[in-house]
Amino acid sequence: MEIRKKRKIALVLSGGGIKAAAFHIGVCLALKELGFQMAGGQKEIVRQNFPDNEPLTIKMYVGSSAGAFVASVLAAGYPIESLINAFQVGSGNEPVFNKEDIQYLKPLTYRNIFNVNGLNILNMIPDVLLKKSLVVGGVETLFKNGFKLNGLFTTKGLEKYLRKEVLIENDFSRLGVNLFVIGTQLNHTRKAIFGDFQESHKTPTTKYINYATISEAVACSAALPPVFAPYGITRPEDGKEIFYFDGEIRDTLSTHVAADHGADLVISSYSIQPYHYTKKAGSLHKYGIPVIINQALYQVIQQKISKHIEYQSNIRTIYREIDGFFKENQLPDHLREELLKTVREKVGFKPNIDYIYIHPRPQNYEMFFVDHFSLNPTILARIVKVGFKSAYNTLRHFDL
């Protein structure tokens, strides 16, 4: 893989709460250390500061949930150090980096992230809870009909923070880089992709949306149930409010979005790593239900990611085997190309695209135990360090 020859590098950032954001920050610091540039800002700024043929320059961002938040900050032109300071000062500590040397971002606090879903909480235990017909229906019926709470919090605070404090231009089309934010349509089975499209359109599995602002798209993507309520966006053609939630409900990684929009190198960062037994931490059976549930979810998510990566690898192997077989046996080139074209079209394979996946190692068991939504600077620093090491250890094998 000749990374320096790549001309459209994409950074794909997955979700996972503040823990995932901290991991992505560590990954970005490692990328910067290894010579990568993260372009961002308005079109004129990107045109002046990041020439088209400049190697190791990231000009495309794809983000889900917490990854969407980090991606939007980078796409807006802020260095990753600005985001570190925002987290650090927001938790009541001194900034890590000199404020005079980097762009200022308003401190990010719990108030920005956790906006209480007030009206719904007031209706959490309605009168119907006492009805006999509800109670005899069973526990599941009790919760479905008795608790109409669609989320403890909303992502309205996060949307407001991005709109007022981060985004000079809250419009995908005004950015000098590609930004795609991934969500899921609540009342359908479609994946939602927010970005700068010629027009909004949809397929049976995917909805491409061009009428949402960046901050609204991130608010949709970050609405992780049951912590955050689904976020609604008004559709301009009929004024109907359509609700969306977490971007990783359908697909854990959205590397295909980068591939579909011209990337020739996709660097994907994800923080999910199920626990592997260590003597120091012991067996999870003694930690209780929340930790066991977390392990079960992580195992499901990791399996989806592993299957995704394995599928890509298998298709690439098959493609190369076919190509090599025809050449080795000196079979007609037009037949070889015809068969390879069929493979490309049937499975959507793009042979010119390379993928790099960055994630914690099983030995990083502390990543599993720390809180998903903690702004504790000590915890965040540990996660950033894991992200940095994970990226550095992965990328050092390549010729940079």
Side-chain angles (χ1 to χ4, degrees):
M1 189 187 302
E2 297 178 293
I3 293 180
R4 284 192 167 272
K5 291 185 178 181
K6 299 294 183 179
R7 288 297 173 263
K8 195 158 188 181
I9 303 174
L11 182 61
V12 178
L13 305 176
S14 71
I18 298 172
K19 177 161 68 172
F23 183 82
H24 297 326
I25 287 172
V27 169
C28 289
L29 287 172
L31 289 171
K32 188 173 180 179
E33 180 82 8
L34 290 165
F36 286 86
Q37 298 183 89
M38 276 158 269
Q42 296 166 288
K43 290 181 178 179
E44 190 59 36
I45 294 173
V46 173
R47 196 177 298 117
Q48 290 176 357
N49 298 329
F50 303 96
D52 286 341
N53 294 322
E54 193 75 18
L56 303 183
T57 302
I58 297 170
K59 288 189 176 181
M60 183 185 295
Y61 302 93
V62 180
S64 295
S65 195
F69 174 77
V70 176
S72 66
V73 173
L74 294 173
Y78 291 89
I80 198 65
E81 292 85 354
S82 296
L83 189 54
I84 293 173
N85 274 5
F87 275 114
Q88 191 75 4
V89 178
S91 61
N93 291 270
E94 291 297 315
V96 177
F97 299 96
N98 193 322
K99 290 188 290 186
E100 285 71 33
D101 296 335
I102 59 173
Q103 289 173 268
Y104 175 77
L105 264 182
K106 186 178 179 181
L108 188 64
T109 67
Y110 283 118
R111 187 181 294 274
N112 301 123
I113 300 169
F114 296 102
N115 195 276
V116 176
N117 196 4
L119 292 176
N120 281 307
I121 285 180
L122 293 177
N123 297 322
M124 186 173 176
I125 308 179
D127 292 337
V128 294
L129 186 63
L130 303 177
K131 291 184 179 179
K132 183 180 179 181
S133 60
L134 175 64
V135 177
V136 297
V139 174
E140 186 176 352
T141 302
L142 179 69
F143 275 92
K144 281 182 177 178
N145 297 300
F147 297 89
K148 297 295 186 181
L149 185 67
N150 59 10
L152 297 174
F153 305 95
T154 75
T155 51
K156 291 179 180 178
L158 195 63
E159 189 278 331
K160 183 179 178 181
Y161 176 82
L162 286 170
R163 173 167 41 87
K164 290 196 168 186
E165 309 298 341
V166 178
L167 300 168
I168 297 173
E169 293 287 352
N170 198 7
D171 187 336
F172 286 96
S173 65
R174 300 295 295 256
L175 294 175
V177 296
N178 297 122
L179 172 64
F180 300 99
V181 173
I182 313 302
T184 305
Q185 190 172 344
L186 175 64
N187 296 309
H188 205 282
T189 55
R190 289 193 190 100
K191 178 178 191 169
I193 303 176
F194 301 91
D196 178 23
F197 304 111
Q198 288 290 328
E199 58 181 17
S200 294
H201 60 284
K202 58 190 177 184
T203 69
T205 60
T206 308
K207 191 172 185 178
Y208 299 86
I209 302 167
N210 70 353
Y211 52 79
T213 63
I214 298 171
S215 58
E216 287 175 335
V218 174
C220 289
S221 183
L224 173 67
V227 181
F228 296 101
Y231 192 92
I233 295 180
T234 302
R235 192 163 57 189
E237 61 262 33
D238 57 9
K240 184 178 179 181
E241 189 174 26
I242 308 296
F243 288 89
Y244 303 91
F245 59 171
D246 187 82
E248 307 220 311
I249 298 295
R250 294 194 80 249
D251 293 320
T252 305
L253 293 178
S254 292
T255 55
H256 72 90
V257 177
D260 291 343
H261 292 87
D264 55 7
L265 174 63
V266 181
I267 302 173
S268 183
S269 169
Y270 63 93
S271 62
I272 297 296
Q273 176 58 60
Y275 174 73
H276 286 217
Y277 178 83
T278 64
K279 286 185 178 180
K280 189 171 183 180
S283 173
L284 294 184
H285 82 276
K286 66 181 182 181
Y287 283 89
I289 292 175
V291 172
I292 294 172
I293 291 175
N294 196 43
Q295 173 75 341
L297 289 173
Y298 271 30
Q299 288 174 341
V300 170
I301 293 170
Q302 192 211 32
Q303 184 188 39
K304 289 174 67 178
I305 294 173
S306 297
K307 290 291 184 184
H308 167 82
I309 296 173
E310 183 183 7
Y311 175 78
Q312 284 184 335
S313 176
N314 289 342
I315 292 298
R316 184 176 294 274
T317 299
I318 292 170
Y319 190 88
R320 288 176 174 173
E321 288 290 334
I322 293 172
D323 190 34
F325 178 82
F326 270 78
K327 289 178 178 178
E328 185 179 336
N329 291 279
Q330 298 181 342
L331 297 174
D333 283 344
H334 73 279
L335 292 178
R336 174 177 62 86
E337 182 49 44
E338 189 175 328
L339 182 56
L340 292 177
K341 181 181 178 182
T342 300
V343 172
R344 291 196 298 269
E345 291 176 348
K346 291 294 184 182
V347 299
F349 177 65
K350 298 176 176 63
N352 64 315
I353 304 175
D354 288 304
Y355 297 86
I356 296 174
Y357 295 94
I358 300 170
H359 56 91
R361 300 181 303 160
Q363 293 88 334
N364 301 130
Y365 66 89
E366 66 270 26
M367 278 289 296
F368 176 81
F369 286 102
V370 297
D371 236 356
H372 286 84
F373 295 101
S374 174
L375 283 176
N376 182 297
T378 303
I379 292 175
L380 292 181
R382 285 164 52 199
I383 300 171
V384 168
K385 189 174 181 180
V386 172
F388 182 91
K389 286 186 173 181
S390 299
Y392 206 93
N393 289 335
T394 300
L395 291 163
R396 66 187 174 86
H397 300 293
F398 298 100
D399 182 18
L400 295 172

